[in-house]
Amino acid sequence: MISQFFVLSQRGDNIVFRDYRRDVQKGSAEIFFRKVKFWKEDGKEEAPPVFNLDGVNYFHVKVVGLLFVATTRTNLSPSLALELLQRIARAIKDYLGVLNEESMRKNFVLVYELLDEVIDFGYVQTTSTEVLKSYVFNEPIVIDAARLPTLGPAALFMQGNKRMPGTAVTKSVVANEPGGRKREEIFVDIIEKISVTFSSSGYVLTSEIDGTIQMKSYLSGNPEIRLALNDDLHIGRGSVPSFGYSRSSGTGAVILDDCNFHESVHMDSFDVDRTLSLVPPDGEFPVMNYRITQEFKPPFTINTLIEEAGSLKAEVILKIRAEFPSSVTANTILIEMPLPTYTTRVNFDLERGIVGQNADFKESQKKLEWNIKKIVGGSEHTLRAKLNFSQELHGNITKEAGPVSLTFTIPMYNPSRLQVKYLQIAKKSKTANPYRWVRYVTQANSYVARI
Amino acid sequence: MAPPAQSHRSPSPSQPSGKGEVSDLKTQLRQLAGSRAPGTDDTKRELFKKVISYMTIGIDVSSVFSEMVMCSATSDIVLKKMCYLYVGNYAKHNPDLALLTINFLQRDCKDEDPMIRGLALRSLCSLGVANLVEYLVGPLGNGLKDGNSYVRMVAAVGVLKLYHLSASTCLDADFPPLLKQLMLKDKDAQVVANCLTSLQEIWSLEASTSEEAARERETLLSKPVVYYFLNRMKEFSEWAQCIVLELVSKYVPVDSEEIFDIMNLLEDRLHHANGAVVLATIKVFLHMTLSMTDVHQQVYERIKAPLLTLVSSGSPEQSYAVLSHLHLLVMRAPYIFSSDYKHFYCQYNEPFYVKKLKLDMLTAVANESNTYEIVTELCEYVANVDIPMARESIRAVGKIALQQYDVNAIVDRLLQFLEMEKEHVTAETLVLVKDLLRKYPQWSHDCIAVVGNISSKNVQEPKAKAALIWMLGEYAQDMQDSPYILEGLVENWDEENSAEVRLHLLTAVMKCFLRRAPETQKALGDALAAGVADFHQDVHDRALLYYRLLKYDVSVAERIVNPPKQAVSVFADTQSSEMKDRIFDEFNSLSVVYQKPSYMFTDKEHRGPFAFSEELGSLSIGTEPSDGAVAAQRVEANDKDLLLGTSEKEESHGYGNNGSAYNAPSYDASTTAGASQGHFDLVSIDQPSTLHPPSSFAIDDLLGLGMPAAPSSAPPALLLNAKATIDPNAFQQKWRQLPVSLSQETSIDPQGVAGMTNPQALPQHMQGHSINCIASGGQAPNFKFFFFAQKAEGSSAYLVECVINSSSCKVQLKIKTDDQATSQAFSELFQSALSKFGST
């Protein structure tokens, strides 16, 4: 059972603090924060999400820079506690629209209301936004989403100038729109995080897709929804060992290694027509998580060339090529590469005519950073960097630098080819046809090219 | 009454200091209290919010208690809730004021809105004031019968709150039976779940004093109750499912048919998106199939994919929890993930705590077929700019090498690390090369050639320096410069801060001298002089010892300091298999993350409802000796470098054959004891006394009292000492040292089981058979006892671990003895004594 729950700001201030069992001392938040902050003297190692201090077990997760913490003296399931903390964060976000320190502080009474219903005397009662709705009476004070930095979740789905209704992601499930009417709409997002490691010769060493079909419903009356996926979807790779690259990519079937589903999902007809049916609860939730190790075409290839130029100089040439169709554009690409520790100065030679790109040498971290705002499918970009060293090179420079890592977001593109073929809403009235948004996005999780 | 336990921490400058603001609030609240003007509620809301925000940041606002109560007369539910929150926070430390709230809370408990009834009942039960419990009974009783499920849900937990305030009030009001009724018939699943959690807690706490409670707790695990819960599984929320699954994992099915039924029913829970549900289900599967080897293997295959999905779909924190469990599983069944090793390759953006676990996984799954690829991957991390990661990766490579896979190639890689000329890489690698040489002396030539090129000036970390010095001493005749390098190090004696390094330096110079006397003579003289003058006691003592040895006889010195060594075949495992089993028993709990059984990190009263109570906990494994003095020695012994501990182990081992005082236990028997054993000056003195418990006086006693011990029917040849004694610490130590001689399963008379509700019954019975109980514990259905007995003649001792499952009447025996020849006879004697339990 949970003894206490609290949320701390980045500076360690209590935003909310709830004691359920009174068997852990009140100063636990402070004790916790000091421990986490000074976990290792050099500050290089992060505190693990679970630790024990004087008989008290502390669990924490980091969400948007805030620390969500639970304490207990019992031998609780760590998965349960950590999952619970994530869910509490999600429920709060559903209510407040935006989850951050400001919105939490403005709405802390509402948050207390939620916490009272989520946990009673240390036992979890419910985390479902839907169920909580009938117990919670405070109106959220919605903070102005427009003031959020554009890199927030809303920007995720922007494809060129076609602006997706990004505000939806920051809309509270309970607050009314200006004008008092609620807009009937539902969002289904297929989010794929991809991890790829290239060997120094450019081969794919490992690759994996971690996907989620996320749903956020603002439909009134809880209608049933049917979600049809690809006909050729298969679950389980059978006896084929994972990562066993075969020539199977030609068949076109989408093979999931494994997947799991939200509670509300019924799979009665899944085996027949690959359709999931569910009555979506309020709030944001993952309909399905899936994992794919089947071979796929990596969206970017990276080519790194390092040439020594004299004993105190070297030149690095980075080439990045977008391997996706030209109708698709990747956003906010960041390419990073650690350089030898004795690098003192770097001169960059950027290609001309490309808007919004810049390169920088972060001296304190001895790291090269190359930002590109947009990359259109099929294009190729090159960066030349001239390195100056403070000491003579000995041995192999490739052992002192790299690997090159990439982060990026590609809207309306998913490498797994998993699709939502249709989204059917059981209609109650013939009047308004709810808005349906099915959106795809791919993000780099760990995208690394060794040199 | 205790003063309020508010943390009076000094508020940061950005926060209000409190005092002035609080008295302001007080005045404003007072003005509002009687007002019925429109808009009052809005003003109240603002004020209440302020009060609660002060409360949150730790300012004591208990002084406005009476004003808050006065303002609570409102129909605004938001206001009510804030007021309840406030009252719940301060009532415990202001019991007089709390009385003020009783009235309005009791009134609200009868409100027509079920929401208000529920909220009021929850607040009433949360006041936490023992004097007011009489006011709880009525509303709680009504709450349990309320027509609205929300109120019943609150009431079910309320009963538990009342129990913690005043157990007698709760029991006298007959609430537990009411809860049980509700649990077995309520339509609302959350009410049912709350009844279950409350009953589990109440009956577990009561079980130690009340037989009835112990029985009731057992009925929660009976077939009808468990099946009732299983059949309603889908109605429960995911969190309640976790509680039910935990209950089911404790259930002992009668036959395999039942096991398959339950597993088929729960199969789809493995595809749940909530990791806690999946892990709870896996626990059921693993525990139920423990005795069915084939099915158990199938379960491993079955849970693989869901677990890997959980690792990659959640936040890093959740991955961490799941990976800890994967690590536990892979230690039990290394093959299960051996073809999935690529899942454990580290991603560059993962937090260190996840990477570290993944490295542990990689070392655990390494086998003949995948070692090459795993080590290649690890080598990439070694070159990483992330220094802690590079170090951990080198250690991982070393661990794989010590597992004997593909050693040849790995040694090459390690030696390449030394050529990278990165200080942290060199340091970490040296420590490993040293360990490798101790296990694979055949590689010494290759290694020494490379190690010889390392300048000792580039090695600063004590552990690495000590390793380098050890190699310089150990391989003095192969390393040409050895005496001169050592001489240089001795010259800088005063600048060497680490006592550990100085100790190694002494030993290395000694070894070098014994092989290349002329070249080392000067260095040795200087080292001994510096060592004797050293302020560190151990360094001083060792220098003096060497000095006297050399003076006494150089050949004796050689035999002691530099005996021929055998390669180390197995490095001491840090955890006994028993400890690992116990952690496995506690699957899906913190034990797995900490890699410790729960008794090592939780207080007794906080252990789970069905956990073993643990007097035997510290006993059966006891890595933490209770005796303070022993603990101190342990710490010191552990502080020593493993290298030191083990090299001396070898030395003493080699010498022990001469029958001298150095009779440290042989390597095989000491695998669990770790570093403490190698420290000969501590252990060898202790050991004779503990290995042979005092027995002389016991034999005298036997002359008078020995006979009652002999069982009347079919007397076994073995006679036991009726008054054998051993103190728990000695027992514990002995239990650790001895191997299991006999492991048997037997059964116990069901009538005997019935007698077990009295925890003293069995120990008393066994004592009548000259078998003494050292420790006991556990709760139905699992009880655990440790027994000790001694042979009537001679000092042979018998140690027994006896686990009794009271629902299946099965008994598992583990017998350890230092007299193997009679272990079978003893086992028969023990079982015959046990079989009489309950029949008399």
Side-chain angles (χ1 to χ4, degrees):
Chain A
M1 67 200 112
I2 309 279
S3 290
Q4 299 166 326
F5 168 84
F6 48 89
V7 180
L8 300 183
S9 73
Q10 260 161 335
R11 296 175 307 281
D13 298 330
N14 279 3
I15 299 177
V16 287
F17 185 99
R18 189 78 176 83
D19 198 331
Y20 294 104
R21 296 285 299 207
R22 297 191 180 118
D23 59 357
V24 173
Q25 70 271 38
K26 292 260 180 198
S28 56
E30 228 171 311
I31 295 170
F32 164 81
F33 189 71
R34 207 174 300 138
K35 186 73 191 170
V36 164
K37 201 160 178 198
F38 304 106
W39 184 256
K40 281 275 155 72
E41 297 85 34
D42 59 2
K44 283 210 174 111
E45 279 178 35
E46 252 179 275
V50 186
F51 57 84
N52 182 300
L53 212 61
D54 299 325
V56 178
N57 302 298
Y58 295 86
F59 302 88
H60 75 279
V61 301
K62 278 187 196 147
V63 185
V64 292
L66 301 171
L67 290 161
F68 284 68
V69 192
T71 63
T72 182
R73 286 188 179 273
T74 57
N75 191 16
L76 192 68
S77 156
S79 285
L80 185 132
L82 295 168
E83 183 85 36
L84 174 68
L85 292 172
Q86 292 282 358
R87 296 298 188 85
I88 292 177
R90 201 197 288 160
I92 295 174
K93 179 174 181 255
D94 281 343
Y95 271 88
L96 307 186
V98 178
L99 179 64
N100 61 23
E101 187 175 341
E102 188 194 353
S103 69
M104 290 272 284
R105 282 194 190 280
K106 282 209 167 129
N107 289 287
F108 71 95
V109 179
L110 189 153
V111 175
Y112 274 123
E113 239 190 315
L114 284 170
L115 291 178
D116 264 353
E117 303 298 336
V118 169
I119 301 172
D120 194 4
F121 207 47
Y123 293 108
V124 189
Q125 302 294 304
T126 183
T127 49
S128 149
T129 304
E130 175 86 21
V131 177
L132 286 168
K133 228 169 155 182
S134 52
Y135 306 138
V136 172
F137 296 89
N138 271 293
E139 284 279 326
I141 303 161
V142 180
I143 66 160
D144 191 358
R147 285 193 290 119
L148 289 174
T150 47
L151 274 175
L156 216 98
F157 297 100
M158 285 198 289
Q159 173 65 294
N161 293 324
K162 269 186 291 165
R163 210 190 137 100
M164 299 295 285
T167 50
V169 190
T170 59
K171 201 166 84 174
S172 164
V173 290
V174 285
N176 287 321
E177 300 274 284
R181 260 190 56 235
K182 255 181 89 176
R183 198 156 114 133
E184 293 278 306
E185 53 189 344
I186 181 164
F187 296 85
V188 178
D189 298 332
I190 293 88
I191 303 168
E192 297 194 343
K193 298 197 168 172
I194 57 175
S195 300
V196 181
T197 308
F198 296 95
S199 74
S200 52
S201 44
Y203 289 108
V204 175
L205 285 170
T206 63
S207 64
E208 179 168 324
I209 301 173
D210 295 313
T212 304
I213 302 181
Q214 188 140 312
M215 191 176 275
K216 192 158 189 179
S217 158
Y218 296 94
L219 301 175
S220 57
N222 298 84
E224 187 181 316
I225 283 179
R226 290 172 66 78
L227 208 62
L229 306 178
N230 309 36
D231 292 330
D232 53 3
L233 183 73
H234 295 282
I235 298 173
R237 293 172 62 98
S239 56
V240 189
S242 45
F243 289 110
Y245 292 107
S246 53
R247 293 129 305 176
S248 69
S249 53
T251 64
V254 177
I255 304 170
L256 311 182
D257 287 44
D258 186 56
C259 55
N260 59 39
F261 301 94
H262 187 262
E263 286 218 293
S264 60
V265 177
H266 291 283
M267 315 217 2
D268 307 334
S269 61
F270 187 76
D271 286 338
V272 185
D273 57 3
R274 299 291 169 216
T275 306
L276 303 172
S277 61
L278 67 155
V279 176
D282 282 341
E284 191 175 283
F285 67 97
V287 175
M288 167 180 171
N289 295 309
Y290 57 91
R291 181 164 56 81
I292 299 176
T293 52
Q294 186 189 17
E295 203 174 346
F296 64 90
K297 188 168 195 176
F300 290 101
T301 52
I302 307 148
N303 210 323
T304 315
L305 205 70
I306 304 186
E307 280 174 350
E308 288 168 32
S311 58
L312 287 168
K313 281 191 169 85
E315 187 177 30
V316 175
I317 302 164
L318 283 172
K319 248 191 206 128
I320 168 169
R321 196 181 150 72
E323 303 282 356
F324 43 84
S326 56
S327 56
V328 173
T329 306
N331 292 339
T332 54
I333 300 94
L334 169 64
I335 300 132
E336 293 173 290
M337 176 179 173
L339 297 175
T341 46
Y342 41 80
T343 311
T344 49
R345 205 154 43 82
V346 183
N347 298 325
F348 294 102
D349 185 2
L350 288 166
E351 278 176 315
R352 255 158 257 179
I354 296 156
V355 204
Q357 76 160 333
N358 67 67
D360 197 5
F361 171 56
K362 300 278 174 205
E363 191 159 4
S364 57
Q365 299 155 280
K366 301 289 179 192
K367 201 163 74 179
L368 177 163
E369 281 189 7
W370 179 21
N371 282 290
I372 308 173
K373 245 193 190 138
K374 282 187 172 41
I375 295 183
V376 180
S379 62
E380 190 178 275
H381 299 269
T382 311
L383 174 76
R384 287 165 183 274
K386 291 195 167 65
L387 317 182
N388 292 279
F389 302 134
S390 61
Q391 68 183 65
E392 280 193 29
L393 279 170
H394 49 257
N396 195 342
I397 182 169
T398 55
K399 291 260 182 251
E400 311 277 334
V404 180
S405 63
L406 250 72
T407 50
F408 52 80
T409 302
I410 316 176
M412 301 322 282
Y413 173 80
N414 68 328
S416 73
R417 288 171 292 120
L418 181 94
Q419 278 184 315
V420 173
K421 278 178 25 208
Y422 62 83
L423 172 67
Q424 202 176 58
I425 303 169
K427 257 192 259 172
K428 291 244 169 73
S429 67
K430 53 241 154 278
T431 52
N433 201 8
Y435 294 91
R436 294 165 230 196
W437 308 98
V438 178
R439 308 179 293 187
Y440 296 86
V441 68
T442 296
Q443 284 175 303
N445 188 15
S446 166
Y447 205 91
V448 175
R450 293 179 176 155
I451 58 169
Chain B
M1 199 74 214
Q6 292 301 310
S7 67
H8 291 282
R9 61 177 205 179
S10 54
S12 69
S14 65
Q15 291 175 347
S17 65
K19 279 214 174 115
E21 284 86 345
V22 174
S23 64
D24 260 9
L25 276 173
K26 203 178 165 91
T27 334
Q28 290 180 45
L29 281 166
R30 191 162 283 171
Q31 283 163 359
L32 279 176
S35 164
R36 299 215 178 274
T40 312
D41 279 353
D42 289 340
T43 330
K44 276 188 190 168
R45 274 196 191 194
E46 284 314 305
L47 286 175
F48 276 31
K49 266 192 193 174
K50 255 187 206 157
V51 171
I52 287 168
S53 82
Y54 287 170
M55 195 174 90
T56 300
I57 57 178
I59 295 172
D60 184 0
V61 281
S62 59
S63 58
V64 300
F65 201 103
S66 44
E67 284 77 11
M68 286 292 282
V69 175
M70 279 190 271
C71 285
S72 62
T74 172
S75 55
D76 180 2
I77 197 160
V78 173
L79 267 181
K80 266 189 197 300
K81 282 190 157 189
M82 285 196 266
C83 189
Y84 293 153
L85 177 68
Y86 172 88
V87 167
N89 218 27
Y90 287 109
K92 192 175 170 65
H93 302 295
N94 301 280
D96 304 338
L97 293 169
L99 191 59
L100 298 174
T101 63
I102 290 283
N103 251 333
F104 82 82
L105 284 175
Q106 277 190 323
R107 197 179 56 235
D108 284 353
C109 282
K110 292 179 187 142
D111 199 282
E112 59 183 26
D113 181 351
M115 184 61 61
I116 301 217
R117 289 204 298 276
L119 287 171
L121 185 59
R122 182 184 292 153
S123 307
L124 194 61
C125 297
S126 304
L127 289 179
V129 182
N131 299 334
L132 303 179
V133 288
E134 57 197 287
Y135 299 103
L136 299 187
V137 176
L140 262 180
N142 294 335
L144 289 173
K145 289 182 214 108
D146 200 289
N148 185 285
S149 60
Y150 179 72
V151 185
R152 292 199 302 279
M153 192 176 103
V154 170
V157 180
V159 170
L160 182 61
K161 292 177 188 165
L162 171 64
Y163 174 82
H164 280 274
L165 274 178
S166 162
S168 56
T169 315
C170 178
L171 299 174
D172 291 346
D174 265 345
F175 281 137
L178 271 174
L179 282 185
K180 194 176 167 188
Q181 275 176 24
L182 214 52
M183 177 180 85
L184 295 175
K185 70 170 211 315
D186 204 288
K187 281 201 265 316
D188 186 278
Q190 192 57 44
V191 176
V192 172
N194 286 359
C195 289
L196 175 64
T197 47
S198 294
L199 283 177
Q200 279 186 334
E201 226 186 296
I202 293 173
W203 280 334
S204 302
L205 290 167
E206 281 296 303
S208 54
T209 52
S210 147
E211 287 180 25
E212 196 199 331
R215 259 200 311 281
E216 286 289 3
R217 195 182 46 173
E218 230 171 295
T219 56
L220 286 181
L221 287 173
S222 65
K223 189 167 173 175
V225 176
V226 169
Y227 275 52
Y228 165 77
F229 280 115
L230 281 172
N231 287 328
R232 295 189 69 172
M233 185 61 91
K234 295 254 164 73
E235 295 171 43
F236 291 112
S237 77
E238 50 198 310
W239 310 106
Q241 285 182 16
C242 294
I243 290 161
V244 172
L245 287 166
E246 182 65 24
L247 180 85
V248 175
S249 75
K250 301 284 191 302
Y251 172 68
V252 186
V254 207
D255 52 26
S256 52
E257 195 106 328
E258 227 190 315
I259 294 176
F260 288 124
D261 284 349
I262 293 174
M263 287 184 19
N264 284 327
L265 185 74
L266 296 179
E267 168 76 15
D268 63 346
R269 297 297 91 191
L270 290 176
H271 284 295
H272 203 287
N274 186 336
V277 174
V278 178
L279 283 174
T281 311
I282 289 174
K283 181 174 184 178
V284 174
F285 282 25
L286 288 175
H287 282 190
M288 283 199 173
T289 57
L290 215 46
S291 58
M292 310 157 81
T293 320
D294 290 355
V295 187
H296 199 63
Q297 298 315 318
Q298 285 172 29
V299 169
Y300 278 129
E301 280 301 317
R302 184 67 198 81
I303 61 181
K304 214 162 81 170
L307 281 170
L308 289 172
T309 305
L310 286 180
V311 170
S312 54
S313 64
S315 63
E317 291 92 354
Q318 286 154 308
S319 305
Y320 175 78
V322 178
L323 274 171
S324 308
H325 283 83
L326 283 181
H327 188 245
L328 175 75
L329 293 177
V330 89
M331 297 309 278
R332 293 177 69 89
Y335 55 87
I336 57 167
F337 292 112
S338 57
S339 57
D340 301 281
Y341 58 94
K342 285 190 181 179
H343 283 286
F344 307 116
Y345 283 3
C346 298
Q347 301 184 343
Y348 83 102
N349 53 349
E350 284 169 329
F352 182 72
Y353 55 77
V354 169
K355 287 182 180 165
K356 171 95 175 42
L357 270 178
K358 285 195 164 176
L359 290 180
D360 289 345
M361 286 299 286
L362 285 175
T363 53
V365 301
N367 63 16
E368 289 90 341
S369 58
N370 59 25
T371 292
Y372 177 80
E373 295 197 26
I374 290 179
V375 173
T376 307
E377 179 73 12
L378 289 171
C379 289
E380 290 287 339
Y381 309 153
V382 173
N384 212 304
V385 283
D386 180 356
I387 291 176
M389 184 62 189
R391 283 179 186 276
E392 286 296 335
S393 305
I394 297 169
R395 277 179 219 153
V397 173
K399 272 188 213 152
I400 293 174
L402 292 175
Q403 287 165 7
Q404 280 180 312
Y405 297 121
D406 204 7
V407 187
N408 195 346
I410 297 177
V411 171
D412 278 352
R413 309 256 189 135
L414 280 176
L415 296 179
Q416 282 168 22
F417 293 162
L418 291 177
E419 286 160 2
M420 281 167 69
E421 297 190 35
K422 287 186 184 176
E423 201 183 313
H424 61 276
V425 174
T426 308
E428 210 57 63
T429 310
L430 276 175
V431 176
L432 269 178
V433 168
K434 175 257 302 173
D435 282 341
L436 275 176
L437 284 179
R438 285 168 54 209
K439 184 158 178 177
Y440 310 111
Q442 64 270 34
W443 295 106
S444 60
H445 273 288
D446 305 66
C447 295
I448 282 158
V450 181
V451 171
N453 290 333
I454 296 172
S455 161
S456 61
K457 289 190 189 65
N458 293 340
V459 182
Q460 290 308 323
E461 289 171 38
K463 272 199 187 305
K465 211 165 179 178
L468 179 63
I469 290 171
W470 181 82
M471 286 186 266
L472 287 169
E474 190 62 33
Y475 299 98
Q477 72 257 51
D478 304 322
M479 295 169 91
Q480 212 164 14
D481 295 337
S482 175
Y484 309 103
I485 300 172
L486 287 171
E487 190 174 326
L489 288 164
V490 172
E491 272 168 27
N492 293 323
W493 185 277
D494 293 333
E495 282 142 51
E496 184 50 63
N497 291 321
S498 159
E500 182 191 337
V501 173
R502 298 201 299 276
L503 280 170
H504 276 287
L505 191 51
L506 269 177
T507 309
V509 175
M510 259 306 258
K511 286 179 183 166
C512 189
F513 171 77
L514 291 167
R515 284 171 188 151
R516 298 166 67 174
E519 291 160 283
T520 325
Q521 198 166 12
K522 178 178 176 300
L524 179 67
D526 292 350
L528 288 179
V532 171
D534 202 281
F535 62 92
H536 194 277
Q537 194 66 45
D538 288 349
V539 179
H540 168 83
D541 287 355
R542 187 178 292 188
L544 210 58
L545 172 75
Y546 286 164
Y547 174 72
R548 289 185 178 151
L549 270 174
L550 287 169
K551 230 174 126 184
Y552 173 70
D553 185 344
V554 177
S555 67
V556 171
E558 167 126 40
R559 262 163 46 214
I560 291 173
V561 180
N562 208 14
K565 288 183 190 60
Q566 283 176 356
V568 180
S569 60
V570 183
F571 281 89
D573 195 351
T574 47
Q575 263 184 343
S576 68
S577 62
E578 201 176 344
M579 177 117 73
K580 285 178 188 153
D581 283 350
R582 197 177 277 245
I583 296 171
F584 182 71
D585 284 344
E586 297 176 333
F587 192 85
N588 193 25
S589 78
L590 288 167
S591 311
V592 180
V593 174
Y594 300 151
Q595 300 185 13
K596 283 180 196 164
S598 59
Y599 69 84
M600 290 173 76
F601 61 88
T602 43
D603 316 324
K604 203 169 167 186
E605 73 256 41
H606 294 296
R607 276 167 215 148
F610 296 101
F612 283 131
S613 77
E614 294 295 350
E615 303 104 82
L616 65 157
S618 61
L619 180 74
S620 61
I621 294 104
T623 45
E624 267 135 15
S626 49
D627 182 327
V630 180
Q633 289 173 353
R634 279 288 168 79
V635 171
E636 211 196 322
N638 286 333
D639 273 351
K640 305 271 173 196
D641 181 16
L642 178 69
L643 166 69
L644 171 65
T646 321
S647 59
E648 288 188 354
K649 224 180 277 185
E650 293 161 25
E651 287 158 21
S652 51
H653 188 42
Y655 204 63
N657 301 335
N658 292 355
S660 77
Y662 300 129
N663 69 353
S666 71
Y667 227 96
D668 307 322
S670 66
T671 43
T672 56
S676 67
Q677 300 226 343
H679 206 58
F680 65 84
D681 46 352
L682 298 177
V683 176
S684 59
I685 295 162
D686 291 353
Q687 236 145 40
S689 61
T690 50
L691 269 176
H692 309 289
S695 56
S696 54
F697 71 92
I699 293 172
D700 294 342
D701 270 354
L702 181 70
L703 299 173
L705 294 162
M707 276 356 251
S712 49
S713 65
L718 185 71
L719 286 185
L720 295 181
N721 175 355
K723 290 234 167 147
T725 53
I726 188 166
D727 82 286
N729 279 338
F731 181 92
Q732 190 178 316
Q733 196 170 3
K734 217 166 157 64
W735 182 260
R736 243 187 298 126
Q737 285 164 351
L738 292 170
V740 177
S741 343
L742 259 181
S743 180
Q744 273 178 322
E745 262 198 48
T746 173
S747 57
I748 185 168
D749 192 327
Q751 281 182 317
V753 170
M756 290 199 38
T757 43
N758 173 4
Q760 284 311 310
L762 183 64
Q764 276 163 11
H765 169 81
M766 295 306 277
Q767 206 170 14
H769 296 265
S770 302
I771 297 166
N772 293 303
C773 182
I774 299 294
S776 66
Q779 279 155 353
N782 290 307
F783 295 92
K784 193 166 187 176
F785 298 88
F786 284 91
F787 291 105
F788 175 75
Q790 209 171 44
K791 208 171 168 183
E793 289 156 76
S795 60
S796 324
Y798 305 95
L799 293 79
V800 186
E801 181 199 73
C802 171
V803 179
I804 301 181
N805 185 307
S806 61
S807 57
S808 64
C809 295
K810 288 230 166 67
V811 180
Q812 284 177 327
L813 293 180
K814 268 187 203 160
I815 298 175
K816 299 187 178 185
T817 176
D818 32 28
D819 182 10
Q820 298 286 346
T822 56
S823 60
Q824 188 59 41
F826 174 77
S827 165
E828 281 162 22
L829 192 143
F830 185 91
Q831 288 182 44
S832 102
L834 191 65
S835 67
K836 292 200 191 73
F837 180 57
S839 59
T840 46

